[in-house]
Amino acid sequence: MKINKVVVIGSGTMGSGIAAHLCNANVPVTLLDLTTEISQKAKERIQKSRPPLLIDKSKIDGINVGNINDDFKEVADADWIVEAVVERIDIKHNIYKKIFDTRKKNTIVSSNTSSIPISVLSEKLSEEDKKDFCITHFFNPVRYMGLLEIVKSKSSDLDKINYLKKFCEHELGKGAIICNDTPGFLGNRIGVFAMQVAMTEAFKMNLSIEEADAIFGRPMGIPKTGVFGLYDLIGIDLMSDVLKSFIKELPETDPFQRVAKEIPLITKLIKDGYTGRKGKGGFYRMNKQENKKILEAINLQTGEYSTSKKIELGIEKIDLNLLINRKDKFGEYAWSVISQIIKYSSSLVPGITDKFNDIDEAMRLGFNWSMGPFEMLKSIGVKNFFDRVGDVKGNSFLENLSKTKDENFYGQRQLYTDIETLGKIKPKAIKIDKNKSADIFRFKDFNIVEFTTKACALDYDSMDALKNATDKPLIIINESMQFSAGVNLKYTMEFVEKGDFKSIEKFIKYFQQTCKHLKYSQYPVISAPSGLVLGGGEEVAIQSNFVVSHTNIVMGLVETGVGVVPAGGGCKEVLWRWSQTDEAKKDPDYAPLQVFNIIGYAKTATSTVEALPLKFLRPEDKKVMNRNSLFEEAKKLLEENKNFQPPKECTFKLSGKPLKDKMIKSLEKLYNDKIILDHGFKVGEELANVLSGGDTTIDKQLSEDDLYNLELEAFMRLIQTEKTQQRIKHTLATGKPLIN
Ligand code: NAD
């Protein structure tokens, strides 16, 4: 069979997300709802969504819309029909009747339900129809969430399920995990249990919500929204419905029941319209005081709000042993939460899946945890865990492990996929070097560099790892979400605070030398970005010889936002790319003026498609839908380039002062229109100086080193200004740019 056309029924949050993602994969899709107006509105929502659900907004008309009365005939020539209507069994049953009466034989029909068992969904279907029915549980937002749970029943045609899994992996880029028909499947069963444990323990131990979120967050390898922040994001009312469904579906003896009980404060919040970010606020809320927005946090005991406090735990890296052994309430809380998650998850093996590994992967893909429960157990160490955990009677997985005490119980990663992923390769590779910011692996005849800092921010050590790894062909790739959010601003500010600008200069020079080395070293260098590819991160990517990029990226040279200019070769390299265009060959000022706009406005691309016209990516760079495939594709490129020759050094001819004057003129207009302020003007002037070639004339030839020097000089002048320092401090504190 082949999936050439899909019909999605129900154009709400999930249906529209699924339709948009099919459109991303260039699969023709029709979206039906009760009325065409509703599905048309959904299309408008898709077009305006942020972060964007579409990789390429101009493709929106790849989605046809209609209604279930006049346009149901669309189902007749679809190969896959996805039902994503409201979570009501009577409505779903009616729709299935219509679908199975209309569809072509052998096509796949699936539901996106998050809580109704497949046995109930399919109870009215014939045995023949049951073969073609399954649950495809996508997560919201569909484009960005890696996990897709495919739930099969005893009647499912396994060949079809496997075909669908491959389609969803390769065409839609999902981490597709096949699950049994158990309540909440894998991701939500463990993820929601974990949230409930984190919440009930916070109440029990009298922790503030900020304290709980500070622990049940980055230190545990969990996104920083923690538990209370995540509740607000999902919707407190929606979470309450999810819990009700778990209470109904699970046996009374299931430990989930203990942590799913109604909490009076939550009932009150929902009643008062405090349903989270979509409502008046939730556990956190934004309040205005004297025209300033203040983030407030609720007191779990009194229900009163007060200004939210930042909790400093002094934790830089994930180290579960260090965390659970802290002799304070944070250590106690962490152990209590982690041990309960491990105990519960392992108690469900083999009932919900015979591969415990799938639970870990579901938590990575669906909840963005950096480790699943079994990896947490591995990281704590089997002996350490059993020394502390107490009785594990009735939990056959832990009982067995307590006998074998096998520290290597874990085995391979990512068993759910055939793709050769970085996660699978790392344990087979030799870690030849590491420093505090990056690891270097040797696999076969090439090296891999993985950045290991928070958001993969770059510093001297990151550059050192890259430089040292070029003694072989090199792939730069990370398992964590981001390629790199750019140069580590905190690291830079530490030198600023000490007035040590010499060290900053040394770092920038080393950054430049390293990037130049990546470009011209004897062996090919491949960057395989996904997630954030910003500032210095982009400079590394664009000065690599080849790029294999995930389609979900946020790419841009955003340095001007923090009051500096790209100084690791970013200005130079983008300028070079633009100077290769036909327009640039006719007009020497064309390329620098384009780049002045792109970098000056800190333009970012939110997909590979948007990165192309900015020339952050080139047409020949590879784009892949599945993040898991980045490594495999990068490896293929190395194989295809066995006879690699480094590129020829590029040179530039720039107009100097007359060109700079043009740029300044456009800055003056922005300044007069109050779009930029004093420092914005100053930063623009420095950028103009770099891109116009400084003190040059059109007949002079400039080398790459000349451009690197101009970048460095501009950067050093700017970093020493108070206003740039204010910008950086502001961004570090708020994550937002300061306009000054
Ligand atoms: P929603 O309320 O946003 O959208 C439901 C849509 O179904 C509405 O547009 C409604 O008009 C339409 N609808 C209702 N009756 C219909 C009918 N008879 N024919 C055609 N359309 C009809 O709901 P949602 O959040 O998109 O959820 C859809 C499904 O996905 C549910 O089964 C839900 O459990 C599941 N789910 C939701 C999420 C989530 O985060 N929202 C995540 C995973 C799964």
Side-chain angles (χ1 to χ4, degrees):
M1 75 167 298
K2 216 168 171 291
I3 295 177
N4 291 320
K5 177 182 166 173
V6 182
V7 168
V8 178
I9 304 178
S11 67
T13 310
M14 295 310 294
S16 58
I18 296 166
H21 201 58
L22 285 158
C23 180
N24 286 334
N26 296 317
V27 179
V29 54
T30 300
L31 186 55
L32 303 180
D33 206 295
L34 292 168
T35 66
T36 307
E37 286 71 48
I38 304 179
S39 21
Q40 184 58 38
K41 280 241 162 67
K43 222 168 134 175
E44 286 159 23
R45 263 197 337 266
I46 292 171
Q47 194 70 334
K48 286 193 205 136
S49 55
R50 286 204 77 83
L53 289 170
L54 285 178
I55 288 172
D56 180 355
K57 284 192 182 159
S58 71
K59 291 258 176 77
I60 182 79
D61 288 327
I63 305 172
N64 296 312
V65 290
N67 67 72
I68 48 158
N69 297 315
D70 306 325
D71 305 301
F72 211 79
K73 54 187 180 304
E74 294 285 333
V75 167
D77 62 338
D79 306 296
W80 177 20
I81 301 113
V82 187
E83 169 275 306
V85 305
V86 279
E87 194 75 330
R88 278 217 1 226
I89 189 64
D90 53 334
I91 297 181
K92 293 195 193 261
H93 276 159
N94 283 340
I95 288 175
Y96 300 153
K97 164 126 191 42
K98 252 178 115 171
I99 294 174
F100 281 99
D101 284 347
T102 313
R103 65 152 193 164
K104 293 189 285 199
K105 271 265 162 276
N106 284 325
T107 49
I108 300 171
V109 181
S110 70
S111 169
N112 195 60
T113 184
S114 40
S115 63
I116 307 176
I118 196 167
S119 55
V120 177
L121 288 174
S122 62
E123 65 193 2
K124 300 196 169 168
L125 302 185
S126 70
E127 275 313 305
E128 206 46 34
D129 288 347
K130 276 184 190 170
K131 281 190 189 164
D132 300 339
F133 184 75
C134 64
I135 292 172
T136 44
H137 183 223
F138 287 91
F139 283 65
N140 184 33
V142 179
R143 175 180 163 195
Y144 295 95
M145 294 304 293
L147 180 59
L148 166 66
E149 293 174 318
I150 302 183
V151 184
K152 60 178 174 23
S153 73
K154 283 191 211 90
S155 317
S156 299
D157 172 347
L158 291 185
D159 285 345
K160 232 171 237 168
I161 296 277
N162 282 328
Y163 171 81
L164 184 65
K165 173 183 155 64
K166 286 251 170 325
F167 175 85
C168 293
E169 265 193 310
H170 294 281
E171 305 299 322
L172 304 185
K174 295 295 153 204
I177 300 185
I178 297 179
C179 312
N180 297 330
D181 189 21
T182 59
F185 320 127
L186 299 186
N188 281 346
R189 178 79 170 271
I190 308 297
V192 178
F193 175 83
M195 287 171 74
Q196 291 310 113
V197 170
M199 176 172 280
T200 43
E201 287 299 310
F203 271 97
K204 237 194 263 172
M205 293 176 62
N206 239 329
L207 255 58
S208 70
I209 65 168
E210 301 99 306
E211 287 173 335
D213 284 352
I215 291 289
F216 186 82
R218 291 229 166 95
M220 279 172 56
I222 289 173
K224 65 174 181 189
T225 39
V227 53
F228 294 99
L230 185 56
Y231 244 81
D232 282 355
L233 187 69
I234 296 174
I236 300 178
D237 51 342
L238 191 73
M239 280 302 295
S240 161
D241 290 343
V242 169
L243 290 179
K244 281 184 196 134
S245 140
F246 272 115
I247 290 170
K248 187 170 141 244
E249 296 294 337
L250 290 170
E252 259 172 46
T253 49
D254 194 292
F256 204 124
Q257 302 281 5
R258 216 174 358 98
V259 293
K261 291 207 171 73
E262 201 172 307
I263 296 174
L265 177 68
I266 293 192
T267 315
K268 185 171 180 330
L269 283 173
I270 298 171
K271 195 172 128 256
D272 295 345
Y274 282 84
T275 50
R277 291 195 197 174
K278 65 178 175 185
K280 295 184 199 166
F283 290 102
Y284 295 93
R285 73 171 184 194
M286 274 295 178
N287 207 358
K288 260 203 172 158
Q289 285 175 13
E290 292 160 13
N291 261 338
K292 259 191 160 171
K293 278 193 192 161
I294 308 276
L295 181 68
E296 294 184 335
I298 205 164
N299 180 313
L300 293 179
Q301 266 66 42
T302 64
E304 304 285 319
Y305 287 92
S306 57
T307 306
S308 163
K309 293 190 187 76
K310 207 174 159 87
I311 310 295
E312 267 308 335
L313 296 167
I315 301 174
E316 280 295 318
K317 286 216 162 164
I318 304 168
D319 184 333
L320 293 189
N321 268 323
L322 213 62
L323 183 67
I324 60 176
N325 287 324
R326 279 172 78 116
K327 297 275 169 269
D328 57 13
K329 60 181 176 183
F330 300 115
E332 211 182 305
Y333 175 72
W335 165 251
S336 177
V337 173
I338 293 176
S339 59
Q340 289 188 61
I341 296 172
I342 295 174
K343 278 203 279 187
Y344 187 60
S345 312
S346 52
S347 77
L348 299 174
V349 177
I352 67 168
T353 169
D354 46 358
K355 283 190 274 174
F356 67 81
N357 187 289
D358 282 354
I359 295 181
D360 280 355
E361 298 304 336
M363 295 316 296
R364 285 173 179 278
L365 292 161
F367 283 76
N368 290 332
W369 288 17
S370 64
M371 283 182 264
F374 297 88
E375 285 169 298
M376 287 183 179
L377 171 57
K378 182 174 94 173
S379 151
I380 290 170
V382 173
K383 183 179 178 308
N384 292 342
F385 179 77
F386 283 111
D387 280 351
R388 195 162 165 184
V389 75
D391 191 11
V392 293
K393 228 167 138 207
N395 180 326
S396 59
F397 181 94
L398 288 182
E399 275 180 340
N400 286 340
L401 193 60
S402 75
K403 281 182 208 136
T404 62
K405 291 268 166 31
D406 180 6
E407 296 287 349
N408 297 319
F409 74 96
Y410 200 83
Q412 272 206 30
R413 290 257 326 269
Q414 296 177 315
L415 296 175
Y416 70 92
T417 180
D418 293 338
I419 300 171
E420 188 181 33
T421 63
L422 177 62
K424 285 186 188 173
I425 290 307
K426 270 188 337 194
K428 295 188 205 161
I430 306 162
K431 198 185 267 189
I432 52 173
D433 203 359
K434 73 173 277 173
N435 60 36
K436 68 174 178 36
S437 307
D439 291 339
I440 308 180
F441 297 92
R442 167 82 42 89
F443 183 66
K444 296 190 172 160
D445 56 352
F446 60 89
N447 290 336
I448 301 165
V449 165
E450 183 174 30
F451 301 133
T452 54
T453 50
K454 190 168 143 188
C456 298
L458 305 173
D459 58 19
Y460 201 93
D461 278 352
S462 332
M463 292 302 120
D464 219 32
L466 289 177
K467 195 139 188 229
N468 294 337
T470 51
D471 61 335
K472 293 272 175 198
L474 169 63
I475 300 175
I476 310 166
I477 185 169
N478 306 321
E479 254 208 296
S480 64
M481 297 295 288
Q482 325 298 1
F483 181 72
S484 169
V487 162
N488 186 342
L489 292 176
K490 211 166 140 218
Y491 165 83
T492 316
M493 277 315 279
E494 278 164 18
F495 293 122
V496 170
E497 304 291 352
K498 287 187 263 175
D500 182 5
F501 293 100
K502 274 265 158 303
S503 291
I504 297 182
E505 187 171 352
K506 185 172 154 214
F507 167 55
I508 299 293
K509 276 190 180 157
Y510 194 49
F511 199 118
Q512 295 183 338
Q513 281 165 18
T514 305
C515 287
K516 190 171 176 195
H517 184 69
L518 293 180
K519 191 172 170 188
Y520 296 112
S521 72
Q522 177 189 354
Y523 297 107
V525 173
I526 301 181
S527 278
S530 61
L532 299 180
V533 195
L534 296 175
E538 183 175 344
E539 292 178 307
V540 169
I542 59 175
Q543 290 174 94
S544 305
N545 304 111
F546 304 95
V547 173
V548 179
S549 175
H550 187 215
T551 42
N552 291 350
I553 43 158
V554 176
M555 200 173 227
L557 291 169
V558 293
E559 284 86 344
T560 52
V562 286
V564 289
V565 296
C571 296
K572 176 231 24 156
E573 196 63 28
V574 181
L575 181 59
W576 166 249
R577 289 184 179 186
W578 277 92
S579 66
Q580 301 310 294
T581 56
D582 290 343
E583 294 91 332
K585 295 207 167 106
K586 286 180 225 140
D587 171 6
D589 291 352
Y590 174 78
L593 287 171
Q594 292 289 332
V595 181
F596 184 64
N597 267 332
I598 293 169
I599 298 180
Y601 284 114
K603 286 190 184 172
T604 50
T606 62
S607 69
T608 41
V609 172
E610 289 179 14
L612 279 173
L614 297 168
K615 303 205 188 297
F616 294 158
L617 287 178
R618 297 162 300 185
E620 63 267 32
D621 291 330
K622 281 202 177 175
K623 293 101 193 164
V624 297
M625 283 287 272
N626 195 332
R627 198 172 178 270
N628 271 339
S629 304
L630 285 175
F631 177 77
E632 211 172 70
E633 291 297 328
K635 201 173 126 215
K636 253 190 236 160
L637 263 177
L638 284 185
E639 278 153 21
E640 285 161 19
N641 285 282
K642 286 258 186 270
N643 299 321
F644 171 78
Q645 294 290 326
K648 273 225 290 272
E649 276 215 29
C650 42
T651 56
F652 300 82
K653 284 197 168 171
L654 295 163
S655 309
K657 187 158 184 318
L659 172 58
K660 186 173 169 184
D661 288 344
K662 280 190 205 169
M663 292 172 179
I664 304 265
K665 246 208 163 77
S666 68
L667 287 175
E668 278 164 359
K669 176 153 183 353
L670 292 174
Y671 187 78
N672 292 335
D673 293 346
K674 298 206 166 40
I675 293 167
I676 56 171
L677 305 179
D678 290 353
H679 199 56
F681 194 94
K682 167 99 189 124
V683 177
E685 254 183 334
E686 289 290 359
L687 181 64
N689 199 54
V690 176
L691 294 170
S692 60
D695 183 16
T696 188
T697 47
I698 192 70
D699 49 335
K700 273 197 202 151
Q701 183 160 299
L702 300 176
S703 66
E704 284 193 270
D705 285 343
D706 292 329
L707 267 289
Y708 275 127
N709 280 337
L710 286 168
E711 288 183 1
L712 175 71
E713 285 162 16
F715 185 96
M716 290 313 298
R717 279 192 292 271
L718 286 167
I719 193 73
Q720 294 179 65
T721 64
E722 207 172 300
K723 287 195 167 160
T724 283
Q725 293 165 16
Q726 279 167 0
R727 281 194 181 193
I728 296 179
K729 277 187 208 151
H730 182 85
T731 299
L732 279 172
T734 64
K736 297 193 178 101
L738 170 75
I739 297 169
N740 61 359

